[in-house]
Coordinates of all heavy atoms in Angstrom, one line a residue:
L47 N 20.8 -8.7 2.9 CA 20.3 -8.0 4.1 C 20.7 -8.6 5.4 O 20.7 -9.9 5.5 CB 18.7 -7.9 4.0 CG 17.8 -7.2 5.0 CD1 18.1 -5.7 4.9 CD2 16.4 -7.4 4.7
T48 N 20.9 -7.8 6.5 CA 21.4 -8.2 7.8 C 20.4 -7.6 8.8 O 20.1 -6.4 8.7 CB 22.8 -7.9 8.1 OG1 23.6 -8.5 7.2 CG2 23.2 -8.4 9.5
Q50 N 20.2 -7.2 12.8 CA 21.2 -7.2 13.8 C 20.6 -7.6 15.1 O 19.3 -7.7 15.3 CB 21.8 -5.8 14.1 CG 22.6 -5.3 12.8 CD 23.0 -3.8 12.8 OE1 22.5 -3.1 13.8 NE2 23.5 -3.4 11.8
E53 N 17.4 -5.9 16.9 CA 17.0 -4.7 16.1 C 15.5 -5.0 15.6 O 15.1 -6.0 15.5 CB 17.9 -4.7 14.8 CG 17.5 -3.6 13.7 CD 18.4 -3.7 12.7 OE1 19.0 -4.7 12.2 OE2 18.7 -2.5 12.1
F54 N 14.9 -3.7 15.4 CA 13.5 -3.7 14.9 C 13.8 -3.2 13.3 O 13.8 -2.0 13.1 CB 12.6 -2.8 15.6 CG 11.1 -3.1 15.4 CD1 10.2 -3.3 16.5 CD2 10.7 -3.0 14.1 CE1 9.0 -3.4 16.3 CE2 9.3 -3.2 13.8 CZ 8.4 -3.2 14.9
L55 N 13.7 -4.1 12.5 CA 13.9 -3.8 11.1 C 12.5 -3.9 10.5 O 11.8 -4.8 10.5 CB 14.8 -4.9 10.3 CG 15.0 -4.7 8.9 CD1 16.0 -3.6 8.7 CD2 15.5 -5.9 8.2
V56 N 12.2 -2.9 9.7 CA 10.9 -2.9 8.8 C 11.3 -2.9 7.4 O 12.1 -2.1 6.9 CB 10.1 -1.5 9.1 CG1 8.9 -1.4 8.3 CG2 9.8 -1.4 10.6
V58 N 9.7 -2.1 3.9 CA 8.7 -1.3 3.3 C 8.8 -1.3 1.8 O 9.9 -1.3 1.3 CB 8.7 0.0 4.0 CG1 9.8 0.9 3.6 CG2 7.4 0.7 3.7
Q217 N 4.5 3.8 4.9 CA 5.8 4.2 5.3 C 5.7 5.1 6.5 O 6.7 5.1 7.3 CB 6.4 5.2 4.1 CG 5.5 6.3 3.8 CD 5.6 7.6 4.5 OE1 6.8 7.7 4.9 NE2 4.7 8.4 4.6
E219 N 4.0 4.2 9.1 CA 4.2 3.1 10.1 C 5.6 2.7 10.3 O 6.1 2.5 11.5 CB 3.3 2.0 9.8 CG 2.9 0.9 10.8 CD 2.0 -0.1 10.3 OE1 0.8 0.2 10.1 OE2 2.3 -1.3 9.9
A220 N 6.3 2.6 9.2 CA 7.7 2.2 9.2 C 8.6 3.1 10.0 O 9.4 2.8 10.8 CB 8.2 1.9 7.8
M221 N 8.3 4.5 9.7 CA 9.0 5.5 10.3 C 8.8 5.6 11.8 O 9.7 5.9 12.5 CB 8.7 6.9 9.7 CG 8.9 7.2 8.1 SD 10.7 7.2 7.9 CE 10.9 9.1 8.2
A222 N 7.6 5.2 12.3 CA 7.4 5.3 13.7 C 8.0 4.1 14.4 O 8.3 4.2 15.7 CB 5.7 5.3 13.8
L223 N 8.0 3.0 13.9 CA 8.5 1.8 14.6 C 10.0 1.4 14.4 O 10.7 0.8 15.3 CB 7.6 0.5 14.1 CG 6.2 0.5 14.5 CD1 5.4 -0.6 13.8 CD2 6.2 0.3 16.0
A224 N 10.6 1.7 13.3 CA 11.8 1.1 12.9 C 13.1 1.6 13.5 O 13.1 2.8 13.8 CB 12.0 1.0 11.4
D225 N 14.0 0.7 13.9 CA 15.5 1.2 14.1 C 16.1 1.4 12.7 O 16.8 2.4 12.6 CB 16.3 -0.1 14.9 CG 15.7 -0.2 16.2 OD1 15.3 0.8 17.0 OD2 15.7 -1.4 16.6
R226 N 15.8 0.6 11.8 CA 16.2 0.7 10.4 C 15.2 0.2 9.4 O 14.3 -0.6 9.9 CB 17.6 -0.3 10.1 CG 18.8 0.3 10.7 CD 20.1 -0.4 10.1 NE 19.9 -1.8 10.2 CZ 20.4 -2.7 9.3 NH1 21.1 -2.3 8.3 NH2 20.2 -4.0 9.4
I227 N 15.1 0.8 8.4 CA 14.1 0.5 7.3 C 14.8 0.0 6.1 O 15.7 0.6 5.6 CB 13.3 1.7 6.9 CG1 12.5 2.4 8.3 CG2 12.2 1.4 5.8 CD1 11.7 3.6 7.9
A228 N 14.2 -0.9 5.5 CA 14.7 -1.5 4.1 C 13.8 -1.4 3.1 O 12.4 -1.8 3.3 CB 15.0 -3.0 4.3
V229 N 14.0 -0.5 2.2 CA 13.1 -0.1 1.2 C 13.2 -1.0 -0.1 O 14.3 -1.2 -0.6 CB 13.2 1.3 0.7 CG1 12.1 1.8 -0.3 CG2 13.1 2.2 2.0
L235 N 16.3 -4.7 -3.4 CA 16.7 -3.6 -2.2 C 17.1 -2.4 -2.8 O 18.2 -2.2 -3.5 CB 17.6 -4.2 -1.2 CG 17.8 -3.6 0.1 CD1 16.5 -3.6 0.9 CD2 19.0 -4.3 0.8
Q236 N 16.4 -1.2 -2.2 CA 16.9 0.2 -2.8 C 17.7 0.9 -1.7 O 18.7 1.5 -2.2 CB 15.7 1.0 -3.0 CG 14.6 0.4 -3.9 CD 15.2 0.4 -5.4 OE1 15.6 1.3 -5.9 NE2 15.1 -0.9 -5.9
Q237 N 17.4 0.6 -0.5 CA 18.3 1.3 0.5 C 17.8 0.8 2.0 O 16.7 0.4 2.2 CB 18.0 2.9 0.6 CG 18.9 3.7 1.5 CD 18.8 5.2 1.3 OE1 18.0 5.6 0.5 NE2 19.4 5.9 2.1
V238 N 18.9 0.7 2.8 CA 18.7 0.4 4.2 C 19.3 1.3 5.1 O 20.5 1.6 4.9 CB 19.2 -1.1 4.5 CG1 18.9 -1.5 6.0 CG2 18.8 -2.2 3.5
S239 N 18.6 1.8 5.9 CA 19.1 3.0 6.7 C 18.1 3.3 8.0 O 17.0 2.7 8.0 CB 19.4 4.2 6.0 OG 20.3 5.1 6.7
S240 N 18.5 4.2 8.7 CA 17.5 4.7 9.9 C 16.5 5.5 9.1 O 16.5 6.1 8.0 CB 18.4 5.5 10.8 OG 18.8 6.9 10.3
P241 N 15.3 5.7 10.0 CA 14.3 6.4 9.3 C 14.7 7.9 9.0 O 14.4 8.4 7.9 CB 13.3 6.4 10.5 CG 13.5 5.2 11.2 CD 15.0 4.9 11.0
L242 N 15.5 8.5 9.8 CA 15.8 9.9 9.6 C 16.8 9.9 8.5 O 16.9 11.0 7.6 CB 16.5 10.5 11.0 CG 16.7 12.1 10.9 CD1 15.4 12.8 10.6 CD2 17.3 12.4 12.2
E243 N 17.7 9.0 8.4 CA 18.6 9.1 7.3 C 18.0 8.8 5.9 O 18.3 9.4 4.9 CB 19.7 7.9 7.4 CG 20.8 7.9 6.4 CD 21.9 8.9 6.6 OE1 21.8 9.7 7.6 OE2 22.9 9.1 5.8
L244 N 17.0 7.8 5.9 CA 16.2 7.8 4.6 C 15.5 9.0 4.2 O 15.5 9.3 3.1 CB 15.2 6.8 4.9 CG 15.6 5.2 4.8 CD1 14.5 4.4 5.2 CD2 16.3 4.9 3.6
Y245 N 14.9 9.8 5.2 CA 14.2 11.0 4.9 C 15.2 12.1 4.4 O 14.9 12.8 3.5 CB 13.5 11.5 6.2 CG 12.6 12.6 5.9 CD1 11.3 12.4 5.5 CD2 13.0 14.0 6.3 CE1 10.4 13.4 5.3 CE2 12.0 15.0 6.0 CZ 10.9 14.6 5.6 OH 9.8 15.8 5.3
R246 N 16.3 12.2 5.1 CA 17.3 13.2 4.7 C 18.3 12.9 3.6 O 18.6 13.8 2.8 CB 18.3 13.6 6.0 CG 17.4 14.3 7.1 CD 18.3 14.5 8.3 NE 17.6 15.3 9.3 CZ 18.2 15.7 10.5 NH1 19.4 15.2 10.8 NH2 17.5 16.3 11.4
R247 N 18.5 11.7 3.4 CA 19.6 11.3 2.4 C 19.1 10.0 1.6 O 19.8 9.0 1.7 CB 21.0 11.0 3.0 CG 21.5 12.2 3.8 CD 22.9 12.0 4.2 NE 23.4 13.1 5.0 CZ 23.1 13.5 6.2 NH1 22.2 12.8 7.0 NH2 23.6 14.6 6.8
P248 N 18.0 10.2 0.8 CA 17.5 9.1 0.1 C 18.5 8.7 -0.9 O 19.2 9.6 -1.6 CB 16.3 9.5 -0.6 CG 16.4 11.1 -0.7 CD 17.1 11.5 0.6
A249 N 18.7 7.4 -1.3 CA 19.6 7.0 -2.2 C 19.3 7.2 -3.7 O 20.2 7.2 -4.6 CB 20.0 5.5 -2.2
V253 N 13.2 6.0 -3.5 CA 13.2 6.2 -2.0 C 12.7 7.5 -1.5 O 11.9 7.7 -0.6 CB 14.6 5.8 -1.5 CG1 14.6 6.1 0.1 CG2 14.9 4.4 -1.7
A254 N 13.2 8.6 -2.2 CA 12.9 10.0 -2.0 C 11.3 10.2 -1.9 O 10.6 10.9 -1.2 CB 13.6 10.9 -2.9
I257 N 9.4 7.6 0.8 CA 9.5 7.9 2.1 C 9.2 9.3 2.5 O 9.8 10.3 1.9 CB 11.0 7.6 2.8 CG1 11.2 6.1 2.6 CG2 11.1 8.0 4.2 CD1 10.4 5.2 3.6
G258 N 8.2 9.7 3.3 CA 7.8 11.0 3.6 C 6.4 11.3 3.2 O 5.8 10.7 2.4
R307 N 11.4 18.5 -0.4 CA 10.3 18.1 0.6 C 9.3 19.4 0.7 O 9.7 20.5 0.4 CB 10.9 17.9 2.0 CG 11.9 16.8 2.0 CD 11.1 15.3 2.0 NE 12.1 14.2 2.0 CZ 11.7 13.1 1.7 NH1 10.5 12.8 1.4 NH2 12.5 12.0 1.8

Side-chain angles (χ1 to χ4, degrees):
L47 184 63
T48 298
Q50 302 167 0
E53 181 178 30
F54 198 123
L55 178 81
V56 176
V58 69
Q217 58 88 26
E219 195 172 291
M221 296 285 282
L223 285 170
D225 295 322
R226 287 191 306 152
I227 299 174
V229 183
L235 188 64
Q236 302 295 305
Q237 187 175 357
V238 185
S239 194
S240 69
L242 191 58
E243 185 75 8
L244 282 177
Y245 189 84
R246 290 180 173 176
R247 298 179 179 85
V253 174
I257 297 296
R307 297 287 181 193

